[in-house]
Amino acid sequence: MKILQAVEEDAKKIMPIIEEARSFQLSYGNMQWAYGYPSEDLIKEDIIDGIGYKIMMNDEIAGYMAIVSHDDSYDEINGKWLTDGPYIAIHRLALSDKWRGQGLFKSIIEKVIELGKLKGASSLRIDTDNSNPIMKHLLEKLGFINTGSVIFEGSAKPSYELVF
């Protein structure tokens, strides 16, 4: 597995993966992406801004995520972050149907931690939706600590942090 910065030409291959992830989430009642989030324009914006990353398996795009060094919605938390220093955060993580369920999440997190360390971060932060028990379980299984909740688009989202 490789995590590479996405380029504009990748957007056409990433959007079907986003749609597969959206359908999967809806299949178990997760409404987080039900209303068109993330849009193709947002994915393209991620790529242009240099925060869009493709997850590569055998020279094939298997997934997508945005990795940011700061998120304004994380400035205020109903709870407390574990660290005060530099962090990175993952948003819009999606895997294609072909690669979902094969235990890739742990490897993805390990690669993101490597990238975070190179960027001088001391932790990895993630938020999810209350209707996403699968993500919550995966995060807790890998040692992420529930730190409270952050507000995104008007609703509270459970927040997690893993200290390197």
Side-chain angles (χ1 to χ4, degrees):
M1 169 192 298
K2 293 179 185 173
I3 307 290
L4 302 172
Q5 208 159 22
V7 296
E8 288 186 53
E9 301 81 53
D10 293 328
K12 287 182 180 8
K13 293 179 182 175
I14 290 167
M15 283 315 296
I17 293 169
I18 296 291
E19 293 305 326
E20 288 175 2
R22 186 185 329 277
S23 293
F24 175 68
Q25 289 177 7
L26 289 171
S27 76
Y28 64 87
N30 179 0
M31 303 303 288
Q32 189 170 357
W33 289 6
Y35 306 105
Y37 174 90
S39 67
E40 184 171 356
D41 287 343
L42 181 56
I43 299 303
K44 288 178 179 177
E45 185 179 317
D46 286 350
I47 293 169
I48 290 166
D49 290 346
I51 63 169
Y53 288 81
K54 54 189 174 184
I55 300 162
M56 301 296 295
M57 295 293 293
N58 305 328
D59 298 322
E60 172 185 339
I61 299 177
Y64 174 80
M65 66 186 146
I67 303 174
V68 299
S69 297
H70 178 80
D71 185 323
D72 290 341
S73 65
Y74 287 6
D75 290 347
E76 293 187 35
I77 182 171
N78 182 12
K80 181 163 179 30
W81 293 113
L82 302 174
T83 63
D84 292 325
Y87 66 88
I88 57 169
I90 296 174
H91 295 301
R92 300 179 276 288
L93 175 60
L95 284 176
S96 73
D97 288 344
K98 178 179 177 180
W99 295 101
R100 188 177 301 107
Q102 297 189 32
L104 296 179
F105 189 72
K106 181 179 180 186
S107 297
I108 292 167
I109 296 301
E110 288 169 352
K111 297 278 187 191
V112 172
I113 288 170
E114 289 174 23
L115 182 63
K117 287 178 179 178
L118 290 172
K119 292 178 177 247
S122 60
S123 70
L124 172 57
R125 296 177 181 178
I126 298 178
D127 68 272
T128 190
D129 198 78
N130 283 311
S131 65
N132 195 345
I134 293 173
M135 179 60 88
K136 289 191 243 182
H137 170 75
L138 289 170
L139 292 169
E140 290 166 6
K141 184 177 174 181
L142 291 181
F144 281 80
I145 304 298
N146 184 321
T147 58
S149 62
V150 294
I151 303 298
F152 180 73
E153 294 188 347
S155 66
K157 307 287 184 193
S159 55
Y160 294 83
E161 187 171 19
L162 179 69
V163 179
F164 304 158

PDB file of all heavy atoms in Angstrom, residues 80-84 125 144-147 161-163:
ATOM      1  N   LYS A  80     -11.874  17.611  25.571  1.00  0.00           N
ATOM      2  CA  LYS A  80     -10.501  18.116  25.592  1.00  0.00           C
ATOM      3  C   LYS A  80      -9.631  17.234  24.712  1.00  0.00           C
ATOM      4  O   LYS A  80      -9.636  16.012  24.824  1.00  0.00           O
ATOM      5  CB  LYS A  80      -9.957  18.116  27.026  1.00  0.00           C
ATOM      6  CG  LYS A  80      -8.530  18.654  27.125  1.00  0.00           C
ATOM      7  CD  LYS A  80      -8.177  19.030  28.526  1.00  0.00           C
ATOM      8  CE  LYS A  80      -6.775  19.541  28.708  1.00  0.00           C
ATOM      9  NZ  LYS A  80      -6.136  20.229  27.635  1.00  0.00           N
ATOM     10  N   TRP A  81      -8.881  17.880  23.815  1.00  0.00           N
ATOM     11  CA  TRP A  81      -7.898  17.148  23.027  1.00  0.00           C
ATOM     12  C   TRP A  81      -6.796  16.649  23.957  1.00  0.00           C
ATOM     13  O   TRP A  81      -6.526  17.259  24.991  1.00  0.00           O
ATOM     14  CB  TRP A  81      -7.302  18.035  21.931  1.00  0.00           C
ATOM     15  CG  TRP A  81      -8.272  18.418  20.862  1.00  0.00           C
ATOM     16  CD1 TRP A  81      -8.754  19.673  20.606  1.00  0.00           C
ATOM     17  CD2 TRP A  81      -8.893  17.561  19.910  1.00  0.00           C
ATOM     18  NE1 TRP A  81      -9.625  19.638  19.563  1.00  0.00           N
ATOM     19  CE2 TRP A  81      -9.736  18.350  19.109  1.00  0.00           C
ATOM     20  CE3 TRP A  81      -8.833  16.186  19.655  1.00  0.00           C
ATOM     21  CZ2 TRP A  81     -10.511  17.823  18.074  1.00  0.00           C
ATOM     22  CZ3 TRP A  81      -9.598  15.659  18.619  1.00  0.00           C
ATOM     23  CH2 TRP A  81     -10.421  16.473  17.843  1.00  0.00           C
ATOM     24  N   LEU A  82      -6.134  15.584  23.579  1.00  0.00           N
ATOM     25  CA  LEU A  82      -5.065  15.009  24.393  1.00  0.00           C
ATOM     26  C   LEU A  82      -3.773  15.812  24.303  1.00  0.00           C
ATOM     27  O   LEU A  82      -2.952  15.769  25.216  1.00  0.00           O
ATOM     28  CB  LEU A  82      -4.791  13.561  23.955  1.00  0.00           C
ATOM     29  CG  LEU A  82      -5.990  12.616  24.018  1.00  0.00           C
ATOM     30  CD1 LEU A  82      -5.620  11.259  23.426  1.00  0.00           C
ATOM     31  CD2 LEU A  82      -6.492  12.469  25.439  1.00  0.00           C
ATOM     32  N   THR A  83      -3.594  16.504  23.165  1.00  0.00           N
ATOM     33  CA  THR A  83      -2.377  17.285  22.951  1.00  0.00           C
ATOM     34  C   THR A  83      -2.741  18.710  22.559  1.00  0.00           C
ATOM     35  O   THR A  83      -3.843  18.967  22.066  1.00  0.00           O
ATOM     36  CB  THR A  83      -1.515  16.676  21.818  1.00  0.00           C
ATOM     37  OG1 THR A  83      -2.255  16.731  20.591  1.00  0.00           O
ATOM     38  CG2 THR A  83      -1.121  15.241  22.125  1.00  0.00           C
ATOM     39  N   ASP A  84      -1.803  19.605  22.772  1.00  0.00           N
ATOM     40  CA  ASP A  84      -1.984  20.996  22.365  1.00  0.00           C
ATOM     41  C   ASP A  84      -1.107  21.360  21.176  1.00  0.00           C
ATOM     42  O   ASP A  84      -1.230  22.433  20.615  1.00  0.00           O
ATOM     43  CB  ASP A  84      -1.650  21.944  23.522  1.00  0.00           C
ATOM     44  CG  ASP A  84      -2.655  21.838  24.661  1.00  0.00           C
ATOM     45  OD1 ASP A  84      -3.848  21.623  24.383  1.00  0.00           O
ATOM     46  OD2 ASP A  84      -2.231  21.956  25.829  1.00  0.00           O
ATOM     47  N   ARG A 125      -5.900  13.336  14.577  1.00  0.00           N
ATOM     48  CA  ARG A 125      -7.271  13.581  15.013  1.00  0.00           C
ATOM     49  C   ARG A 125      -8.246  13.197  13.909  1.00  0.00           C
ATOM     50  O   ARG A 125      -7.961  13.378  12.734  1.00  0.00           O
ATOM     51  CB  ARG A 125      -7.467  15.051  15.376  1.00  0.00           C
ATOM     52  CG  ARG A 125      -6.621  15.484  16.548  1.00  0.00           C
ATOM     53  CD  ARG A 125      -6.779  16.959  16.847  1.00  0.00           C
ATOM     54  NE  ARG A 125      -5.933  17.345  17.977  1.00  0.00           N
ATOM     55  CZ  ARG A 125      -5.832  18.571  18.440  1.00  0.00           C
ATOM     56  NH1 ARG A 125      -6.549  19.562  17.889  1.00  0.00           N
ATOM     57  NH2 ARG A 125      -5.042  18.834  19.460  1.00  0.00           N
ATOM     58  N   PHE A 144      -7.307   4.930  19.403  1.00  0.00           N
ATOM     59  CA  PHE A 144      -7.764   6.317  19.440  1.00  0.00           C
ATOM     60  C   PHE A 144      -8.606   6.521  20.701  1.00  0.00           C
ATOM     61  O   PHE A 144      -9.352   5.631  21.111  1.00  0.00           O
ATOM     62  CB  PHE A 144      -8.617   6.654  18.212  1.00  0.00           C
ATOM     63  CG  PHE A 144      -7.838   6.920  16.962  1.00  0.00           C
ATOM     64  CD1 PHE A 144      -7.341   5.865  16.199  1.00  0.00           C
ATOM     65  CD2 PHE A 144      -7.605   8.218  16.535  1.00  0.00           C
ATOM     66  CE1 PHE A 144      -6.631   6.104  15.040  1.00  0.00           C
ATOM     67  CE2 PHE A 144      -6.898   8.464  15.373  1.00  0.00           C
ATOM     68  CZ  PHE A 144      -6.413   7.407  14.625  1.00  0.00           C
ATOM     69  N   ILE A 145      -8.499   7.692  21.282  1.00  0.00           N
ATOM     70  CA  ILE A 145      -9.264   8.046  22.480  1.00  0.00           C
ATOM     71  C   ILE A 145     -10.370   9.022  22.089  1.00  0.00           C
ATOM     72  O   ILE A 145     -10.119  10.007  21.396  1.00  0.00           O
ATOM     73  CB  ILE A 145      -8.346   8.715  23.544  1.00  0.00           C
ATOM     74  CG1 ILE A 145      -7.156   7.815  23.890  1.00  0.00           C
ATOM     75  CG2 ILE A 145      -9.140   9.113  24.783  1.00  0.00           C
ATOM     76  CD1 ILE A 145      -7.508   6.484  24.512  1.00  0.00           C
ATOM     77  N   ASN A 146     -11.580   8.735  22.539  1.00  0.00           N
ATOM     78  CA  ASN A 146     -12.697   9.652  22.317  1.00  0.00           C
ATOM     79  C   ASN A 146     -12.469  10.866  23.209  1.00  0.00           C
ATOM     80  O   ASN A 146     -12.397  10.743  24.423  1.00  0.00           O
ATOM     81  CB  ASN A 146     -14.021   8.963  22.651  1.00  0.00           C
ATOM     82  CG  ASN A 146     -15.212   9.839  22.351  1.00  0.00           C
ATOM     83  OD1 ASN A 146     -15.189  11.042  22.571  1.00  0.00           O
ATOM     84  ND2 ASN A 146     -16.264   9.242  21.865  1.00  0.00           N
ATOM     85  N   THR A 147     -12.331  12.018  22.578  1.00  0.00           N
ATOM     86  CA  THR A 147     -11.991  13.248  23.307  1.00  0.00           C
ATOM     87  C   THR A 147     -13.187  14.162  23.538  1.00  0.00           C
ATOM     88  O   THR A 147     -13.049  15.215  24.140  1.00  0.00           O
ATOM     89  CB  THR A 147     -10.906  14.030  22.544  1.00  0.00           C
ATOM     90  OG1 THR A 147     -11.399  14.329  21.232  1.00  0.00           O
ATOM     91  CG2 THR A 147      -9.617  13.244  22.467  1.00  0.00           C
ATOM     92  N   GLU A 161      -8.573  11.112  19.082  1.00  0.00           N
ATOM     93  CA  GLU A 161      -7.182  11.487  18.895  1.00  0.00           C
ATOM     94  C   GLU A 161      -6.296  10.308  19.260  1.00  0.00           C
ATOM     95  O   GLU A 161      -6.567   9.575  20.210  1.00  0.00           O
ATOM     96  CB  GLU A 161      -6.837  12.702  19.764  1.00  0.00           C
ATOM     97  CG  GLU A 161      -5.449  13.260  19.493  1.00  0.00           C
ATOM     98  CD  GLU A 161      -5.194  14.595  20.191  1.00  0.00           C
ATOM     99  OE1 GLU A 161      -5.923  14.925  21.169  1.00  0.00           O
ATOM    100  OE2 GLU A 161      -4.285  15.309  19.753  1.00  0.00           O
ATOM    101  N   LEU A 162      -5.212  10.173  18.486  1.00  0.00           N
ATOM    102  CA  LEU A 162      -4.183   9.165  18.742  1.00  0.00           C
ATOM    103  C   LEU A 162      -2.866   9.904  18.836  1.00  0.00           C
ATOM    104  O   LEU A 162      -2.456  10.573  17.878  1.00  0.00           O
ATOM    105  CB  LEU A 162      -4.142   8.134  17.624  1.00  0.00           C
ATOM    106  CG  LEU A 162      -3.100   7.032  17.763  1.00  0.00           C
ATOM    107  CD1 LEU A 162      -3.453   6.097  18.912  1.00  0.00           C
ATOM    108  CD2 LEU A 162      -2.995   6.235  16.466  1.00  0.00           C
ATOM    109  N   VAL A 163      -2.201   9.800  19.990  1.00  0.00           N
ATOM    110  CA  VAL A 163      -0.922  10.465  20.192  1.00  0.00           C
ATOM    111  C   VAL A 163       0.175   9.551  19.645  1.00  0.00           C
ATOM    112  O   VAL A 163       0.163   8.346  19.883  1.00  0.00           O
ATOM    113  CB  VAL A 163      -0.687  10.777  21.680  1.00  0.00           C
ATOM    114  CG1 VAL A 163       0.667  11.449  21.895  1.00  0.00           C
ATOM    115  CG2 VAL A 163      -1.804  11.662  22.207  1.00  0.00           C
TER     116      VAL A 163
END
